[in-house]
């Protein structure tokens, strides 16, 4: 809260005391729908009154001006009608504004949407009339409470720090789910008759065909939320009960940070910073879908983004629009693929190239040649481990001697949830657990532990979030990446050339060098109090406590 707001609240609290009234100090976290519906949004806005709590005897109402005769008459009428006492609470205008947002989450919006759809337009089978019918439907959807419902869904997703919005047709209706910190949460159920109109409204925003429901479509749109532009990537999919829609929220201010804030520490950070300062070579990032590969690569490109460099990216799709980067969207349906795009890029005098993904041998070969001819090349591969990307490139037909000359760094990453700093507390660690953790990190060099700020001579301490308002009682909020960063050494180059990038031999070489695995990086971050054991086990597919 700003100092001026605190001062205002202090003055209003003093005024409430003077008038012998209550003062609403803290916004309620949740207000029941049956309480909100006691006063309509229009009446609340006009009279500056808001019901925030009720029971069988009393209704608690926030009010800005307790001398507003019209507001008092409205409340007196409500008290007589409901046969309940009214308790007034004085509030500031800022607090009242926040309370009014609760109307957005009430069932009133859904009810209004249902009423508006009751007279929906039915498509004609006559082809001559079909276009007029679609145009009419577009106008209808733009100008109904459905538009407000879509606005509310989007606002709640942004305010809840969701990365994706899922709108899914079920047998009884449509469910809306938000993905927050990698986990899906139920948000809202929409009646069956409203769901398709909500999907159509989003299609209009995204310039998609509202009458095409048989095949998938992709689109984008942008909104301004609280003065800040936020992009949405939209995808539709025909499913058994209708059309499923997923919206990816692309907030570049929150989405693309620096690599330190993403969780890169120690030798991994040093190796990455050295590799990106090279004038040529290839840096490969691996991991499953949704592990944050593209976001990390954007973070690296942001370091390199200056007037002296020509940076060109080939993406499918473009996740974030970043000023200073020349970003190009591939379109395979017209023959503009990663391979053909890469050929074109090489004629555009680039210093740095990012290819969204190496999917085939042609793209792999072009990428390697680009890395050998004076370009710094970034790309991603779908392999489970960093070292696995080397044998994958050989399998794609890349000559081992070319690969060894071009490759500078291979990385892998996963995303884990962070411990909430507001409710973080120390937890007891059993002797057995301590022993197992020590076994996991036994071969980590002392210098590396020092870079992480970990002293093993002291007792092992772990942390957990108790659960609070800031983290929705989960104890976890936000995400953090755990990494494996393997610098390609001369010994590894020899293994690539002589043994076709044998994974076992390269793994042995990595272990000799003391390079951390993803799992070890996660455990060290757990010891630093950044995440919890359950999160590391979830993304590394194994348990530290196995065998107990």
């Amino acid at each position: 809260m700003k100092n001026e707001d605190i001062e205002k609240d202090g003055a209003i609290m003093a005024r409430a005391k003077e008038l012998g009234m209550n003062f609403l100090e803290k916004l309620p976290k949740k207000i029941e729908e049956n309480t909100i519906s006691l006063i309509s949004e229009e009446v609340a806005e006009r009279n500056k009154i808001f019901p925030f709590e009720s029971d069988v005897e009393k209704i608690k109402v926030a009010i800005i001006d307790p001398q507003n005769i019209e507001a008092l008459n409205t409340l007196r009428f409500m008290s007589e009608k409901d046969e309940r006492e009214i308790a007034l609470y004085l509030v500031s205008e800022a607090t009242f504004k926040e309370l009014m947002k609760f109307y957005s989450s009430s069932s009133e919006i859904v009810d209004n949407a249902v009423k508006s759809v009751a007279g929906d337009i039915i498509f004609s089978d006559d082809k001559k009339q079909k276009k007029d019918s679609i145009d009419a439907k577009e106008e209808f959807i733009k100008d109904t409470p459905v538009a407000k419902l879509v606005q509310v869904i989007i606002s709640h997703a942004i305010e809840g720090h969701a990365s994706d919005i899922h709108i899914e047709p079920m047998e009884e209706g449509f469910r809306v789910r938000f993905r927050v910190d990698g986990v899906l949460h139920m948000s809202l159920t929409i009646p069956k008759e409203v769901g398709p109109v909500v999907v159509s409204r989003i299609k209009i925003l995204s310039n998609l065909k509202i009458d095409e429901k048989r095949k998938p479509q992709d689109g984008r749109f942008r909104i301004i939320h609280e003065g800040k532009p936020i992009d949405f990537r939209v995808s539709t999919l025909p499913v058994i009960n209708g059309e499923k829609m997923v919206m990816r929220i692309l907030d570049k201010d929150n989405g693309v940070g620096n690599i330190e804030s993403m969780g890169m520490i120690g030798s991994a950070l040093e190796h990455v910073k050295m590799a990106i300062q090279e004038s040529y070579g290839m840096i490969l990032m691996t991991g499953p879908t949704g592990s944050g590969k593209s976001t990390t690569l954007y973070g690296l490109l942001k370091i390199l983004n200056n007037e002296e460099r020509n940076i060109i990216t080939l993406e499918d799709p473009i996740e974030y629009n970043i000023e200073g980067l020349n970003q190009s969207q591939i379109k395979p349906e017209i023959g503009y693929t990663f391979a053909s795009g890469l050929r074109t890029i090489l004629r555009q005098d680039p210093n740095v190239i990012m290819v969204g993904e190496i999917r085939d041998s042609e793209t792999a070969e072009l990428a390697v040649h680009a890395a050998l001819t004076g370009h710094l090349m970034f790309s991603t591969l779908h392999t489970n481990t960093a070292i696995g990307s080397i044998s994958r490139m050989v399998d794609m037909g890349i000559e081992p001697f070319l690969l060894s000359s071009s490759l500078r760094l291979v990385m892998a990453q996963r995303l884990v949830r962070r411990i909430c700093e507001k409710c973080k507390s120390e937890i007891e660690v059993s002797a057995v657990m301590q022993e197992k953790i020590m076994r996991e990190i036994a071969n980590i060099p002392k210098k590396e532990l020092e870079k992480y700020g970990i002293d093993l001579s002291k007792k092992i301490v772990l942390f957990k979030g108790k659960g609070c308002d800031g983290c929705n009682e989960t104890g976890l909020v936000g995400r953090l990446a755990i990494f494996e960063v393997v610098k390609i050494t001369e010994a590894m180059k020899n293994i690539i050339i002589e043994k076709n990038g044998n994974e076992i031999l390269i793994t042995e070489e990595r272990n000799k060098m003391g390079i951390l695995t993803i799992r070890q990086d996660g455990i060290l971050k757990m010891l630093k109090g950044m995440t919890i054991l359950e999160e590391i086990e979830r993304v590394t597919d194994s348990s530290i406590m196995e065998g107990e």
Side-chain angles (χ1 to χ4, degrees):
M1 193 182 273
K2 295 176 185 172
N3 288 336
E4 56 202 62
D5 290 336
I6 293 167
E7 284 171 23
K8 280 180 188 173
D9 277 1
I12 292 165
M13 194 187 293
R15 189 180 170 217
K17 199 173 182 182
E18 193 181 304
L19 294 168
M21 286 180 66
N22 298 303
F23 172 72
L24 184 62
E25 288 185 61
K26 192 178 175 186
L27 272 170
K29 190 180 173 189
K30 189 178 178 185
I31 303 175
E32 296 298 326
E33 299 286 358
N34 59 354
T35 300
I36 297 172
S37 61
L38 288 169
I39 299 173
S40 72
E41 186 175 2
E42 188 187 340
V43 171
E45 184 63 57
R46 188 173 66 243
N47 295 296
K48 306 297 180 193
I49 52 178
F50 186 92
F52 63 89
E53 195 180 309
S54 65
D55 56 33
V56 288
E57 294 176 353
K58 191 187 291 183
I59 303 167
K60 293 181 180 179
V61 178
I63 189 166
I64 287 179
D65 181 8
Q67 292 169 329
N68 181 335
I69 302 300
E70 191 182 341
L72 294 174
N73 284 338
T74 301
L75 292 171
R76 193 174 295 116
F77 174 76
M78 187 172 79
S79 174
E80 288 169 4
K81 181 187 161 195
D82 278 43
E83 297 180 350
R84 284 188 278 182
E85 183 192 335
I86 302 290
L88 293 179
Y89 283 72
L90 203 59
V91 291
S92 65
E93 287 198 27
T95 302
F96 183 78
K97 206 172 179 181
E98 289 300 311
L99 284 169
M100 287 298 288
K101 287 181 181 177
F102 280 98
Y103 276 110
S104 299
S105 62
S106 73
S107 57
E108 192 175 333
I109 289 173
V110 177
D111 291 341
N112 287 343
V114 173
K115 286 172 194 169
S116 73
V117 174
D120 198 358
I121 298 158
I122 296 167
F123 284 100
S124 168
D125 289 332
D126 186 341
K127 287 181 182 178
K128 290 178 184 177
Q129 292 179 26
K130 194 170 182 182
K131 189 182 182 303
D132 293 340
S133 179
I134 292 166
D135 292 343
K137 181 158 187 165
E138 283 199 19
E139 287 307 311
F140 168 77
I141 292 166
K142 281 178 188 174
D143 206 24
T144 63
V146 170
K148 187 169 184 183
L149 179 56
V150 170
Q151 187 185 334
V152 166
I153 290 169
I154 288 171
S155 297
H156 284 187
I158 295 167
E159 286 157 17
H161 306 291
S163 60
D164 301 86
I165 303 168
H166 291 240
I167 302 172
E168 303 161 307
M170 313 296 283
E171 278 192 27
E172 299 301 318
F174 279 66
R175 72 176 174 186
V176 179
R177 295 191 290 171
F178 297 158
R179 189 178 292 282
V180 180
D181 297 336
V183 180
L184 278 170
H185 299 277
M186 185 71 179
S187 170
L188 180 69
T189 301
I190 302 174
K192 204 168 188 175
E193 60 270 36
V194 177
V197 192
V198 168
V199 169
S200 293
R201 168 64 182 156
I202 298 164
K203 280 183 174 182
I204 291 166
L205 290 172
S206 316
N207 289 320
L208 301 179
K209 295 176 182 175
I210 65 169
D211 60 324
E212 179 55 82
K213 298 175 184 179
R214 298 165 302 165
K215 61 183 182 183
Q217 295 186 78
D218 293 298
R220 295 176 80 94
F221 68 91
R222 171 177 286 187
I223 65 160
I224 305 298
H225 180 76
E226 295 181 353
K228 187 170 71 171
I230 294 177
D231 292 323
F232 290 80
R233 192 179 81 221
V234 178
S235 171
T236 69
L237 178 74
V239 293
I240 194 164
N241 292 312
E243 264 187 304
K244 173 180 164 70
M245 179 171 273
V246 175
M247 291 184 276
R248 167 65 57 89
I249 302 171
L250 305 170
D251 181 355
K252 67 179 174 187
D253 291 340
N254 293 330
V256 182
N258 59 56
I259 52 175
E260 289 95 333
S261 69
M262 291 174 195
M264 205 173 273
I265 308 173
S267 297
L269 183 61
E270 291 165 11
H271 292 328
V272 166
K273 284 188 171 176
M274 281 172 63
I276 64 174
Q277 295 309 323
E278 297 269 358
S279 58
Y280 70 96
M282 181 184 280
I283 294 168
L284 285 178
M285 170 65 80
T286 71
T289 303
S291 59
K293 300 187 297 294
S294 299
T295 305
T296 300
L297 289 185
Y298 278 127
L300 300 181
L301 293 179
K302 275 179 83 174
I303 298 171
L304 298 169
N305 190 9
N306 60 38
E307 288 183 3
E308 297 168 8
R309 291 189 180 92
N310 178 18
I311 302 174
I312 306 180
T313 74
L314 266 183
E315 302 175 56
D316 183 27
I318 294 171
E319 295 275 359
Y320 298 98
N321 183 11
I322 297 174
E323 192 70 33
L325 267 56
N326 299 287
Q327 295 170 270
S328 184
Q329 165 80 52
I330 70 157
K331 292 177 182 170
E333 65 272 16
I334 59 167
Y336 184 43
T337 61
F338 280 125
S340 63
L342 194 43
R343 280 198 186 89
T344 306
I345 279 178
L346 292 171
R347 294 194 286 272
Q348 290 281 317
D349 185 31
N351 300 103
V352 181
I353 300 168
M354 182 183 102
V355 174
E357 188 187 339
I358 293 175
R359 294 176 181 170
D360 53 55
S361 54
E362 189 183 5
T363 309
E365 194 176 332
L366 285 164
V368 167
H369 281 291
L372 288 170
T373 53
H375 307 94
L376 191 57
M377 165 69 66
F378 295 87
S379 194
T380 71
L381 268 177
H382 281 291
T383 60
N384 288 326
T385 62
I387 288 165
S389 63
I390 298 169
S391 53
R392 175 65 62 84
M393 291 289 279
V394 172
D395 291 343
M396 281 182 172
I398 303 302
E399 291 290 346
F401 73 93
L402 292 176
L403 185 61
S404 68
S405 303
S406 63
L407 213 50
R408 296 282 173 272
L409 207 67
V410 288
M411 300 190 282
Q413 80 171 61
R414 303 288 187 275
L415 292 176
V416 293
R417 288 181 288 174
R418 288 179 184 267
I419 296 173
C420 175
E421 290 297 326
K422 286 184 182 176
C423 59
K424 185 175 175 180
S425 62
E426 196 176 314
I427 58 169
E428 282 187 32
V429 186
S430 69
V432 175
M433 179 69 169
Q434 287 205 43
E435 188 188 324
K436 291 198 178 235
I437 289 170
M438 289 300 289
R439 203 180 304 147
E440 290 275 345
I441 60 175
N443 65 342
I444 296 176
K446 194 178 177 184
K447 277 187 180 178
E448 193 65 36
L449 293 171
E450 284 170 6
K451 287 172 186 174
Y452 277 73
I454 291 167
D455 184 357
L456 291 179
S457 64
K458 294 178 182 175
K459 183 188 169 189
I460 286 178
V461 176
L462 299 183
F463 296 87
K464 203 162 191 169
K466 287 180 178 176
C468 65
D469 288 355
C471 60
N472 263 340
E473 307 299 332
T474 61
L476 300 161
V477 64
R479 287 196 285 181
L480 161 83
I482 57 175
F483 296 95
E484 178 181 346
V485 176
V486 182
K487 181 185 174 186
I488 304 301
T489 61
E490 286 303 318
M492 287 183 185
K493 286 179 182 181
N494 290 335
I495 295 168
I496 293 170
I497 294 168
E498 294 167 16
K499 305 291 181 182
N500 283 348
N502 184 286
E503 215 168 310
I504 295 167
L505 293 175
I506 293 176
T507 302
E508 285 172 5
E509 185 60 32
R510 179 202 65 191
N511 294 342
K512 271 187 213 168
M513 293 169 63
I515 291 171
L516 300 187
T517 63
I518 276 188
R519 188 175 168 83
Q520 287 173 328
D521 182 44
I523 290 166
L524 293 186
K525 282 168 182 167
M526 176 182 76
L527 295 176
K528 279 178 71 67
M530 299 168 83
T531 188
I532 59 172
L533 178 62
E534 290 83 353
E535 282 295 295
I536 297 156
E537 291 182 339
R538 177 175 67 83
V539 300
T540 57
D541 299 324
S542 57
S543 172
I544 289 171
M545 297 305 286
E546 271 174 5
E548 290 208 339

